[in-house]
Amino acid sequence: MKILIVGASGFIGKHIYQGLEKAGYEVHGVTRDELDFVDLQCDKKLVTFVKGFDVVVNAVGIIAETKTQMFEQMHTLAPMALFDACKEAGVKKVIHISALGSQNGTTPYHRTKNRADAYLRESGLAYAILHPSVVYGDDGKSTALFQGLATLPLTPIVGDGSQVLQPIRIEDLVATVQKAIESSDKKIELNLVGEEPISYKELLETFRKWLGYKSTKSVSLPTLGTDVIGKILDEPTVNHDNIIMLNQGNSADVKPLAAFLGYTPIGLKENLGAKEAHNAQKLYASLYLIRPLLRIVIGLVWIWSGIVSAFLYPQPLALELLHEIGIPEGIDIYLLYLASFLDITLGVLTIMGCCLQGLLSLQLVVIVIYTLLLTLLAPYHWLHPFGPVLKNIPLVISIYVLGKMERYR
């Protein structure tokens, strides 16, 4: 049996691909480079692409909109085009990963998911529409965020933290997909949840205990400005609509899924209680929120450096420093303001996270050149009691560490 996984580079799609391949199926995974939902439409090219596959699994989804990826296109129009192509190409069954709450949700995320679900039901294709709650696993982004939040000195919650969730292991989701592929039923629709509901506050406390931290007090965070905070932290999950969905709850009866699988999916508490967190997992969780904090701090250092150089530090002393490294009079003042402007620009772009890898590399080059010039032409600055040059060493290390954290986040 030939199976096509659309969205195979994502957390869910990757695990479905690996699980089915391990089970002995002939699996082909498709990434956005091969099949981009941003401009997908049902044409001969798409029909030819899916032709010859017995089953197509759609695991494409976004949790927040970007400039190029909108809910309407990614969750509704592109899946509809894919379903049409599957029907025309003679695909035997479509497995569609939807979301729990899409049937009656009010957010654009849920409404666009629901329209694709409804279209598939009426398409005439054999299908399985799966509605997972929060899916957790070792390399899941939402899992990493929850674990990062759980390690904070105070547990951050929304409201009183009583919002009900029912997380499901990625392994149980994969098992459901495999069972749906093997089933002779032509119309399957299931809510994918773990054994027991758990409150949002309990979820964070469970992760905290699993990671080896002592229990702590919780603090209720304001939801005003959630979108801005999410952008600063570079966390798409942190946005206004997700707060709405969290407050609406995300749970369902596990019995239909248990009957379908032949076993009851294990709950979060029981699953984590059965294994210990590795040191690498503890370290990753403890550093997770250090990444955006480090980015902001480094950005502020550049911004403040530019402001001080241009406006606050005595100009004669600033110009004297330029003269020491060979900058002639006449262009010194212009170079001072140009360097200050570049410092401020570097800081703003760093906080915004624009082209961050390249930006961090540029910062390393600038600091190294600056340090070498002072070392060769004005070495006495290394003996300054406040260490203006010496402090470049921890700054360089911080920038290097941030670059590594961004690459492997």
Side-chain angles (χ1 to χ4, degrees), residues 18 31 39 67 75 147 173 218 232 249 269 323 360 391:
Q18 292 171 348
T31 65
D39 54 7
K67 290 180 179 180
H75 289 173
Q147 292 176 355
L173 184 148
S218 59
I232 292 174
K269 286 185 176 181
H323 298 158
L360 295 175
K391 290 174 182 175

Side-chain angles (χ1 to χ4, degrees), residues 296-342:
I296 293 168
V297 169
I298 290 172
L300 290 176
V301 167
W302 284 102
I303 292 171
W304 183 244
S305 176
I307 292 173
V308 169
S309 297
F311 307 111
L312 302 180
Y313 193 69
Q315 192 174 91
L317 295 179
L319 296 178
E320 182 182 340
L321 180 60
L322 292 178
H323 298 158
E324 289 178 351
I325 61 174
I327 304 300
E329 294 184 12
I331 66 169
D332 52 358
I333 186 68
Y334 299 106
L335 189 61
L336 174 65
Y337 284 113
L338 176 61
S340 299
F341 173 76
L342 292 176

Side-chain angles (χ1 to χ4, degrees), residues 30-310:
V30 179
T31 65
R32 69 183 60 176
D33 294 331
E34 299 174 84
L35 197 66
D36 195 345
F37 264 38
V38 169
D39 54 7
L40 191 70
Q41 54 185 338
C42 184
D43 53 20
K44 291 183 179 180
K45 182 180 178 181
L46 182 57
V47 173
T48 302
F49 193 90
V50 300
K51 197 174 187 64
F53 289 99
D54 300 293
V55 177
V56 171
V57 180
N58 175 34
V60 175
I62 57 173
I63 195 62
E65 293 183 323
T66 66
K67 290 180 179 180
T68 59
Q69 296 182 333
M70 308 300 289
F71 285 135
E72 181 70 18
Q73 175 64 25
M74 303 297 289
H75 289 173
T76 303
L77 299 180
M80 288 166 60
L82 179 64
F83 302 155
D84 287 342
C86 287
K87 185 174 182 179
E88 189 172 339
V91 173
K92 296 176 182 177
K93 182 178 283 188
V94 171
I95 312 294
H96 176 56
I97 309 299
S98 182
L100 187 62
S102 63
Q103 301 95 320
N104 50 20
T106 59
T107 63
Y109 173 86
H110 274 150
R111 292 200 303 269
T112 51
K113 285 277 190 181
N114 188 43
R115 286 200 288 274
D117 298 346
Y119 191 84
L120 181 56
R121 291 188 196 103
E122 302 299 323
S123 67
L125 287 161
Y127 65 80
I129 301 174
L130 307 179
H131 302 276
S133 179
V134 176
V135 183
Y136 68 95
D138 289 341
D139 54 345
K141 289 187 177 180
S142 61
T143 306
L145 175 60
F146 289 142
Q147 292 176 355
L149 293 173
T151 63
L152 294 176
L154 297 175
T155 302
I157 58 175
V158 177
D160 61 1
S162 63
Q163 300 89 350
V164 178
L165 305 171
Q166 207 163 341
I168 182 167
R169 292 188 311 164
I170 184 63
E171 293 85 355
D172 293 320
L173 184 148
V174 172
T176 306
V177 170
Q178 182 177 340
K179 188 81 172 180
I181 291 172
E182 296 168 352
S183 174
S184 59
D185 293 345
K186 293 186 177 181
K187 295 182 179 181
I188 300 171
E189 191 154 2
L190 291 164
N191 293 325
L192 274 53
V193 293
E195 183 176 12
E196 57 186 7
I198 185 173
S199 72
Y200 175 67
K201 183 179 178 181
E202 286 179 305
L203 179 141
L204 294 183
E205 290 173 345
T206 300
F207 275 124
R208 184 177 180 86
K209 181 179 179 181
W210 180 67
L211 291 166
Y213 287 78
K214 295 180 180 179
S215 60
T216 186
K217 294 183 179 179
S218 59
V219 56
S220 180
L221 299 180
T223 57
L224 185 65
T226 305
D227 290 342
V228 175
I229 294 172
K231 290 184 182 300
I232 292 174
L233 295 179
D234 191 22
E235 286 294 341
T237 309
V238 181
N239 63 59
H240 179 69
D241 281 356
N242 278 339
I243 297 297
I244 292 175
M245 291 189 287
L246 176 64
N247 286 327
Q248 290 174 342
N250 202 246
S251 63
D253 186 359
V254 72
K255 291 179 182 177
L257 177 60
F260 182 77
L261 289 174
Y263 71 90
T264 302
I266 192 172
L268 178 69
K269 286 185 176 181
E270 186 180 351
N271 182 44
L272 294 183
K275 59 181 181 180
E276 291 187 6
H278 302 303
N279 287 337
Q281 292 171 314
K282 294 178 181 179
L283 178 63
Y284 185 80
S286 65
L287 293 177
Y288 188 79
L289 293 174
I290 296 296
R291 179 188 59 81
L293 180 62
L294 197 57
R295 191 184 80 245
I296 293 168
V297 169
I298 290 172
L300 290 176
V301 167
W302 284 102
I303 292 171
W304 183 244
S305 176
I307 292 173
V308 169
S309 297

Side-chain angles (χ1 to χ4, degrees), residues 290-291 293-295 297-298 301 360 363-364 367 391-406:
I290 296 296
R291 179 188 59 81
L293 180 62
L294 197 57
R295 191 184 80 245
V297 169
I298 290 172
V301 167
L360 295 175
Q363 291 176 22
L364 289 175
I367 294 173
K391 290 174 182 175
N392 285 344
I393 295 175
L395 182 58
V396 164
I397 293 174
S398 297
I399 292 171
Y400 175 79
V401 169
L402 177 59
K404 290 296 184 182
M405 295 176 76
E406 286 290 335

